[in-house]
Amino acid sequence: HSARGRKRPQKARPLPLGAEDITTFIGRRSDHYLSRFQMMRAQRGRISWNWAAFLFPVPWLAYRKMKGPFGVFFLLTILFSLPIGAVMLLNYRELAANPEAMQTFFALGDLPELVLPDWLNVLYGFSVPLLFLLRMVLGCMGNHLYRRHVLRQVSRIRGRHHEPLHCRYELSRRGGTSLAAVVALMVLSLLLLFLFCLMLANFAAPIL
């Protein structure tokens, strides 16, 4: 047979992106998120309230495997918390240097008055509002970020895996939720808290 008579095997085309792909990728509570996505698409809007994203912003991002937004919000949370940690450190030093203030703190919960540098006063005043703002932003935009993440990942997986079974396996493997990521985040948070407590102890050691 001539080369012209031979038919070249055609590559399988990826199946069209549909609700079944998105449902497989989302995993748990897929019905809830799919309805949110459809509503946002119908309204052509980005704002859709998510209580889990508002109450547990960084853990929610880790749970839903959103690595990029997780890194951004995790670093911003640490950055905005630094002035609060600095004020706590200074309060601890003041309490450690003054036994009467320590007794008053344990009896009444009153902290000694501190004279803070102006720059630290400004940063401390903005810390709590900024942390709350982070929660509000993710509470309002969390579903939009998750929708964009889901559509992007599903599209990539469908483009790389043309066989339906392989594609569904990859969708469920790369999507879904990760309780292990939340546990790892909790362990990391406890480690940071432990290091902060060590810093407090070392900070007060010369005084004691």
Side-chain angles (χ1 to χ4, degrees), residues 1-130:
H1 297 284
S2 63
R4 294 180 180 179
R6 296 177 184 175
K7 293 183 178 180
R8 295 181 180 179
Q10 296 181 350
K11 294 182 179 181
R13 295 181 179 179
L15 296 177
L17 188 65
E20 185 178 354
D21 304 319
I22 297 174
T23 299
T24 302
F25 184 86
I26 293 175
R28 298 188 62 181
R29 301 198 68 195
S30 58
D31 293 341
H32 168 77
Y33 283 105
L34 195 59
S35 65
R36 294 287 183 180
F37 295 168
Q38 291 172 347
M39 181 183 66
M40 293 167 63
R41 182 181 179 183
Q43 297 177 349
R44 296 183 180 180
R46 298 183 177 183
I47 297 178
S48 175
W49 186 255
N50 188 316
W51 277 108
F54 172 74
L55 295 174
F56 313 102
V58 177
W60 178 76
L61 292 170
Y63 183 66
R64 286 291 166 182
K65 300 183 179 180
M66 300 171 66
K67 297 179 182 179
F70 165 79
V72 172
F73 275 83
F74 182 70
L75 291 177
L76 287 177
T77 300
I78 292 178
L79 180 64
F80 294 157
S81 300
L82 287 178
I84 299 176
V87 173
M88 290 177 60
L89 197 66
L90 293 174
N91 273 313
Y92 185 84
R93 185 182 69 173
E94 191 70 21
L95 290 173
N98 191 342
E100 294 182 359
M102 182 75 76
Q103 293 177 358
T104 303
F105 172 72
F106 283 114
L108 304 175
D110 292 337
L111 290 171
E113 294 185 4
L114 294 176
V115 179
L116 301 175
D118 292 338
W119 62 269
L120 184 56
N121 259 325
V122 173
L123 293 179
Y124 181 75
F126 278 106
S127 289
V128 175
L130 286 174

Side-chain angles (χ1 to χ4, degrees), residues 11-15 157-167:
K11 294 182 179 181
R13 295 181 179 179
L15 296 177
I157 293 171
R158 297 299 286 171
R160 295 174 183 174
H161 303 275
H162 304 318
E163 293 296 329
L165 290 179
H166 293 168
C167 181

Side-chain angles (χ1 to χ4, degrees), residues 114-180:
L114 294 176
V115 179
L116 301 175
D118 292 338
W119 62 269
L120 184 56
N121 259 325
V122 173
L123 293 179
Y124 181 75
F126 278 106
S127 289
V128 175
L130 286 174
L131 288 172
F132 183 75
L133 181 62
L134 279 182
R135 291 176 177 268
M136 287 296 299
V137 168
L138 200 56
C140 293
M141 302 293 294
N143 287 332
H144 167 69
L145 293 175
Y146 189 46
R147 177 176 178 266
R148 188 174 64 177
H149 167 76
V150 169
L151 295 179
R152 184 180 299 171
Q153 292 299 320
V154 171
S155 179
R156 288 178 180 175
I157 293 171
R158 297 299 286 171
R160 295 174 183 174
H161 303 275
H162 304 318
E163 293 296 329
L165 290 179
H166 293 168
C167 181
R168 181 163 294 185
Y169 170 75
E170 284 298 315
L171 287 170
S172 60
R173 185 178 72 87
R174 297 194 180 186
T177 56
S178 177
L179 188 60

